[in-house]
Each structure stands twice: as structure tokens, then as C-alpha cells.
Amino acid sequence: MKAYQIGAQDGIDALVATTRPEPVAGPGQALVAPRLVGLISRDVQLLRGVYGARQPATRIPMSEGVGEVVAIGEGVTQVAIGDRVVCGHFASWVDGPFRSDVFAHDIGITHDGWLAERVVLPAAALIRVPDALADADVAGLASAALTAWNALIEICHVKPGDTVLCLGTGSVSLAALKIAKARGARVAITSSHDAKLATARTLGADIAINYRTSPDWAAEVIAQTDGKGADIVIETGGADTLGRSIAAAATSARIIVIGVSPGEGNAIPDYLSLILKNVTIRGIANGSRAMFVDLLDAMVANGMTTVVDRVFPFAEAPDAVRYFAAAGHLGKVMIAV
């Protein structure tokens, strides 16, 4: 089969095309033929050698996608040949609360990912895709959208009347925007590009703030919420934005930390504000299979779709990575296998 591997992990050009024998589904496993693969930020970090421990040069990357089951191993009853399937990238997190050991089976990191003509996946992690959802709507959900669902629904219990602040217009923020609006919340979003903010408004954003022209964007959030601030902050910016997220937060707000950018300054420059506002800061990592099922059901029930910026053919996967890394996109960048 044709595949890509991460190679030397010394930059975004490290991605290497290769061929290898088609894998075989063992007991409890399914052999899946990927159809569409989504890119996420850690794919680029992995190629640059800055995401956790270094992985074998032969690792097949990419943590999210949609595909068709083409073979099943002994004892598999969860899926059948011909099923269209997705799965979260923490393959062992089926249900229940987060456990630290879910990192031991991380698709596209510790185990081969989706950027190949065939991939072996644990059958218990797979989810049949509802017929109402197109490949492009589900291929890019396993990281960003599932994380946004966990943050807003499972952790923060977002409700009508809440104000949700999304930092930037990356995939997590756009997914959070749609989920929050479907639950009746008000959404504020930031970006350095007016065109991206205009698109965010068409997707339902109530407040759009350009942080280049309004560098004190926290004050803008306070001003445009009549002095209250955001009840929930989807913090994807990392250490350098956390202080402003606290400044933009309402009393008793919840800040969900998703971004892993290390930053250069003090992450919390104003501890007094943190205390006076009674703010809760919580880090999360992705979500479970059960959450993914709920997300898919909500997408069907609410007619939610995924914003797709561009789809590259499989032969142009390195170009897709370079395009994604340039960060000029709005919505998912995908690769058709």
C-alpha cells in the first residue's frame, strides 16, 4: 500500500512517501481504508520534532479521518465490512472520565495514523457514521470538534444565555462556535484577519474582535458584554494569552485550556483578578468514544456541518502540510486518500 511516514522529524518537509505491505487486522481489530483525512496542529509539531517524545521514523501520521471497513479480525462485532467509520485519536478511551493512560494508544502518535491507503484500528474505538453526515463533515472531528464538545458540553455544561469566548479561528474555535450556538449561547471570537471574522459572523458569532487592531481584546470583550465578560473561555492561545483570558472572564467563569504553546511571559500576570473573579482554569485532552457518539448525534439533530478550507489529493500530502503550517486557512485542511 501507499503511505506517508514522519521521517527525520526535523521540519514540515520531513514527511516521506513510502510503500509497505498492507496490514492485517488481528483479533479485536478492523482494517480501514481511509477516504478523507484531516490535519491538526500537532501533525505539524510531530514533523518538527516538538510534540512529546520522538517517534519512529516509520510512524504513519495523522490522527483524524473517515474510512470504510474492508476487513475485520477475530471476535469483532462492533463494526462490519462496508461500514463507514471514525474514531477518536485516544483509541482506548471508550467511556467514563479521563485517564492518563489514554495517551498510551494515540492514533497518529504512538500508533500508525490515517495517512495511508489502509490502517488497522481497534474495533471497539470505531463509530459508524450516520448516513446524514458527509465525509467532509466527519473526517476532521476527532481532535478539534471532539475537544470542543468535551469542553463545552461535558465540562462547562454550556446553556442558553452563556457567553462563550473562542480565541482565534482555528478548528477548535470554529467547532466550539457551532456547538455553543446550537445550545443557545452567545459567542465572541477573535482573529487578526477581518475577513476571517466576517466569515465567523456568518457562522453565528455575535462578537468579532480583531486582536491586531484591538490589542487589549480582553477589554473589548468586557465592553461588548456590558461589563460582564465571558462565562466560558476556549483558551487555545497558550501561555501568552491566558492572562488576557482571565481579564476577559466573567465572575465564576470557566477557562478551558487547550492550547499548548509555551509562551514567553508569565502565564497569569494578575493573580488577584483570578481570585476576585473566582475563575476556574481546567486543562483537557480530547474526549471519549461516548462523547464522539453524542457529537455526531448533535450534528445530525442540528444540521451542523464542518467548515472545509481545502482538500488536497493524496499525492500532494506534503503540499497540504505546508499549506496548513502557513496558517492562512479558515476551516479544515484535508487530504483525500
Side-chain angles (χ1 to χ4, degrees):
M1 70 173 185
K2 295 179 180 178
Y4 286 89
Q5 58 192 38
I6 59 177
Q9 298 165 77
D10 56 0
I12 59 173
D13 292 326
L15 192 68
V16 178
T18 187
T19 58
R20 61 177 67 178
E22 184 173 301
V24 177
Q29 297 177 328
L31 183 64
V32 175
R35 292 160 58 152
L36 199 59
V37 177
L39 275 68
I40 59 175
S41 61
R42 72 177 194 165
D43 297 327
V44 172
Q45 294 168 12
L46 179 66
L47 290 171
R48 287 174 169 158
V50 297
Y51 187 86
R54 294 182 71 84
Q55 300 299 326
T58 55
R59 175 74 69 240
I60 296 171
M62 308 309 175
S63 301
E64 56 182 28
V66 60
E68 180 180 336
V69 176
V70 294
I72 56 174
E74 181 183 353
V76 170
T77 59
Q78 297 92 340
V79 293
I81 293 173
D83 284 347
R84 192 167 53 116
V85 294
V86 293
C87 67
H89 62 73
F90 289 146
S92 66
W93 191 5
V94 175
D95 201 354
F98 173 78
R99 313 179 316 272
S100 61
D101 65 358
V102 300
F103 287 99
H105 193 143
D106 192 351
I107 295 169
I109 303 294
T110 64
H111 292 64
D112 283 343
W114 288 83
L115 199 55
E117 291 180 318
R118 297 289 188 272
V119 60
V120 170
L121 298 169
L126 298 177
I127 305 167
R128 293 186 184 92
V129 176
D131 292 339
L133 298 175
D135 284 353
D137 291 326
V138 299
L141 299 179
S143 179
L146 182 54
T147 301
W149 180 271
N150 187 4
L152 288 173
I153 306 300
E154 302 293 332
I155 304 300
C156 294
H157 306 291
V158 64
K159 63 185 184 301
D162 282 343
T163 296
V164 176
L165 170 60
C166 302
L167 302 192
T169 51
S171 297
V172 174
S173 290
L174 291 182
L177 164 60
K178 292 198 170 192
I179 294 167
K181 294 303 295 184
R183 290 299 177 105
R186 190 183 188 200
V187 175
I189 196 164
T190 66
S191 175
S192 60
H193 300 278
D194 286 336
K196 290 184 178 182
L197 291 173
T199 300
R201 282 195 178 278
T202 68
L203 298 174
D206 302 280
I207 299 170
I209 300 169
N210 187 317
Y211 62 77
R212 296 281 187 208
T213 57
S214 298
D216 191 357
W217 48 267
E220 279 295 312
V221 173
I222 296 295
Q224 295 195 44
T225 55
D226 298 324
K228 178 185 175 184
D231 302 291
I232 301 169
V233 181
I234 303 300
E235 171 50 81
T236 57
D240 282 344
T241 58
L242 183 55
R244 289 200 183 277
S245 290
I246 295 170
T251 299
S252 299
R254 291 88 77 203
I255 298 176
I256 305 299
V257 177
I258 299 167
V260 295
S261 301
E264 298 178 356
N266 187 347
I268 305 177
D270 184 0
Y271 279 92
L272 183 59
S273 180
L274 175 67
I275 295 166
L276 292 178
K277 289 185 175 184
N278 194 34
V279 170
T280 298
I281 301 175
R282 176 165 176 171
I284 64 167
N286 205 238
S288 68
R289 181 190 183 280
M291 295 178 201
F292 206 161
V293 171
D294 290 342
L295 169 60
L296 293 172
D297 289 344
M299 290 184 69
V300 173
N302 293 281
M304 295 165 61
T305 58
T306 297
V307 179
V308 178
D309 180 280
R310 187 172 172 183
V311 178
F312 287 78
F314 187 70
E316 297 176 13
D319 293 330
V321 171
R322 284 187 284 268
Y323 178 78
F324 180 86
H329 59 283
L330 178 65
K332 296 299 297 187
V333 177
M334 297 184 175
I335 299 169
V337 181

